[in-house]
Amino acid sequence: MSLTEKPGTAANPVSGSMFSWVSKDARRKKEPELFQTVSEGLRQLYAQKLLPLEEHYRFHEFHSPALEDADFDNKPMVLLVGQYSTGKTTFIRHLIEQDFPGMRIGPEPTTDSFIAVMHGPTEGVVPGNALVVDPRRPFRKLNAFGNAFLNRFMCAQLPNPVLDSISIIDTPGILSGEKQRISRGYDFAAVLEWFAERVDRIILLFDAHKLDISDEFSEVIKALKNHEDKIRVVLNKADQIETQQLMRVYGALMWSLGKIINTPEVVRVYIGSFWSHPLLIPDNRKLFEAEEQDLFKDIQSLPRNAALRKLNDLIKRARLAKVHAYIISSLKKEMPNVFGKESKKKELVNNLGEIYQKIEREHQISPGDFPNLRKMQELLQTQDFSKFQALKPKLLDTVDDMLANDIARLMVMVRQEESLMPAQVVKGGAFDGTMNGPFGHGYGEGAGEGIDDVEWVVGKDKPTYDEIFYTLSPVNGKITGANAKKEMVKSKLPNTVLGKIWKLADVDRDGLLDDEEFALANHLIKVKLEGHELPADLPPHLVPPSKRRHE
């Protein structure tokens, strides 16, 4: 019985269905408000609004398998890609500070499998065939790549604090030459593309000693197209070459990447030596420390940004699914009903570029949203066009409604979730090694200089600053802001920076500087001129001795 019927009356099939449709539509518009979490919201939106469009136009046969619950719930994943012996497995070992099952390290191509390094209660290995039937893992759709791949895929699980927050995917070293590409027995680039769609960060590793990018590596990087926002580049083993050579190597790497990654933006490259051994050439130690710290911060932010990444990937997928629907329906429309189907199919495949342009014009779609032309032509060769579906506007309208309204509501939820979990960062392993203590990045440098000294660190240069102070006409032991400004602007620092220095140095907030405060201002100017950042608040060790009793 419909909600619109009265008891004891016959249902009017037309009005009943109409009113039930209206009530469903009203419910559909209210649904986003009922979502408890962003992951739940994304899962429901995908199942109710995007999946019907994908299935209707065979999206999964052309682009990417359907998403499952595990894809929305899994931890952030980091994918490591690189040629053999660039230090991928050692990089993982460095991050988690622990050997993992199945780990092999050596100068020869040692890792010949995809290894998902994940958290588990006990150490152990789960083989690929068992992994792809586990509904709790996000790998079920990998069974499409067959036994040749599954025999080369496993999960190494172990209890580790780093893996509490992220999972890491180790990949086989990329080789050069045709033989290796053929002998894999599965489409290596396609597997990496599958992972690229689902991971939060892709790290391309290069060895400072061998920068040549093989054909297969070039093919792999091109397969990562549309995921440039996830890519970071690591120039590893940089401690094995001198500074001058390192500059040349860095330039050569940027030139090589510029030819393959077709984006106007420069890819972020982190330079360093990512293992726990002593640096062979320690000249660039500070650079390596700063770069490692930046990379660690980037990886540590992944759990906090995981929901936003999943939201972004769903939007990308929805845009591609819409374009795919227009392509398939256009091909269906052009096909004859009875005769000449094969010849028309060949003609349509050859003229696919023109169909792209027509769809682009008619529906105001950006060229960047279209799938790769050559790949699409190859996939269409094996398809039966007569089984394609005509355009169904209702399915497209549903996806448009999702993109215009539901996604906007989820964006608000993402921010709310982030504000409730501000401390959600990767902890443990190498991430804890530089957090606190004297080996934290920048400890004892810049504004941190003298942090452990008994004496006030500014005191050693105070006699020099006092000479200047007494030339600035102090009254009652203090100089005015105008007089202090005359001296401070000689540093040529911008007014915004000098204003911050003044705020930090005027400890008693009286708008004047005494000799200690003036010395402190000059010390902070020196810190800034040496290339260090100013602190947001004055650290306790920099507070002038006479002011410490007020603190």
Side-chain angles (χ1 to χ4, degrees), residues 99-116:
D99 289 351
F100 57 87
M103 182 182 95
R104 285 173 63 213
I105 295 173
E108 75 282 8
T110 46
T111 304
D112 63 346
S113 304
F114 281 81
I115 304 176

Side-chain angles (χ1 to χ4, degrees), residues 105-285:
I105 295 173
E108 75 282 8
T110 46
T111 304
D112 63 346
S113 304
F114 281 81
I115 304 176
V117 185
M118 306 180 87
H119 190 271
T122 55
E123 277 197 30
V125 171
V126 183
N129 283 292
L131 262 183
V132 295
V133 293
D134 185 349
R136 295 165 302 159
R137 308 278 192 190
F139 304 123
R140 279 163 51 115
K141 297 295 181 181
L142 282 168
N143 61 1
F145 293 104
N147 269 334
F149 167 71
L150 294 179
N151 291 335
R152 291 271 176 269
F153 178 45
M154 62 176 173
C155 171
Q157 56 179 37
L158 63 157
N160 184 282
V162 174
L163 301 176
D164 262 336
S165 309
I166 60 170
S167 301
I168 307 170
I169 314 292
D170 194 9
T171 61
I174 295 168
L175 304 154
S176 53
E178 192 68 20
K179 181 173 175 253
Q180 288 85 353
R181 186 164 32 194
I182 293 166
S183 64
R184 286 197 194 275
Y186 61 90
D187 191 339
F188 183 68
V191 172
L192 281 178
E193 195 174 348
W194 185 94
F195 275 109
E197 284 179 16
R198 288 156 178 80
V199 300
D200 297 69
R201 188 66 76 235
I202 301 164
I203 297 179
L204 300 180
L205 274 101
F206 290 87
D207 184 337
H209 279 290
K210 48 174 191 279
L211 275 188
D212 60 308
I213 298 179
S214 67
D215 294 344
E216 191 179 26
F217 199 11
S218 177
E219 193 180 303
V220 161
I221 295 172
K222 284 174 183 169
L224 302 176
K225 188 180 183 293
N226 299 329
H227 303 289
E228 288 91 348
D229 56 319
K230 298 179 182 181
I231 294 176
R232 304 290 183 270
V233 176
V234 168
L235 181 58
N236 202 10
K237 306 185 183 181
D239 64 319
Q240 298 178 13
I241 53 178
E242 302 281 354
T243 306
Q244 189 179 10
Q245 284 178 302
L246 183 58
M247 285 172 62
R248 289 176 181 159
V249 166
Y250 179 78
L253 175 62
M254 296 304 286
W255 181 80
S256 300
L257 287 172
K259 288 172 67 182
I260 300 168
I261 301 176
N262 295 316
T263 56
E265 299 86 12
V266 176
V267 183
R268 177 64 167 100
V269 178
Y270 299 90
I271 304 168
S273 177
F274 295 91
W275 65 346
S276 52
H277 292 246
L279 299 175
L280 291 178
I281 301 171
D283 300 4
N284 298 305
R285 184 188 187 104

Side-chain angles (χ1 to χ4, degrees), residues 28-73:
R28 189 168 73 233
K29 286 183 179 174
K30 288 178 183 174
E31 266 171 11
E33 297 166 23
L34 304 175
F35 298 151
Q36 297 299 311
T37 64
V38 175
S39 291
E40 182 201 336
L42 289 171
R43 191 187 305 116
Q44 287 191 34
L45 284 180
Y46 176 70
Q48 293 167 8
K49 299 195 173 185
L50 183 54
L51 186 58
L53 179 76
E54 291 183 357
E55 288 174 339
H56 195 70
Y57 293 104
R58 301 179 168 205
F59 179 87
H60 310 135
E61 294 175 31
F62 287 86
H63 304 289
S64 174
L67 298 177
E68 298 197 323
D69 287 355
D71 289 311
F72 298 102
D73 298 329

Side-chain angles (χ1 to χ4, degrees), residues 337-375:
N337 290 328
V338 187
F339 301 110
K341 289 186 179 181
E342 269 309 307
S343 58
K344 186 65 177 175
K345 175 182 168 180
K346 282 180 185 174
E347 183 192 324
L348 288 170
V349 171
N350 290 335
N351 296 335
L352 189 62
E354 292 173 21
I355 293 169
Y356 276 18
Q357 289 174 358
K358 187 181 172 188
I359 294 168
E360 193 184 317
R361 283 194 306 272
E362 285 181 10
H363 302 284
Q364 288 82 48
I365 294 170
S366 165
D369 286 352
F370 284 83
N372 181 278
L373 180 62
R374 191 175 297 172
K375 188 181 172 188

Side-chain angles (χ1 to χ4, degrees), residues 475-508:
V475 177
N476 297 327
K478 297 195 174 190
I479 58 170
T480 62
N483 284 344
K485 181 180 177 180
K486 288 176 191 172
E487 183 60 33
M488 289 169 73
V489 293
K490 290 179 184 176
S491 66
K492 298 182 182 176
L493 287 170
N495 282 351
T496 49
V497 175
L498 293 174
K500 186 174 182 182
I501 289 170
W502 170 271
K503 196 175 172 185
L504 290 168
D506 185 14
V507 179
D508 54 14

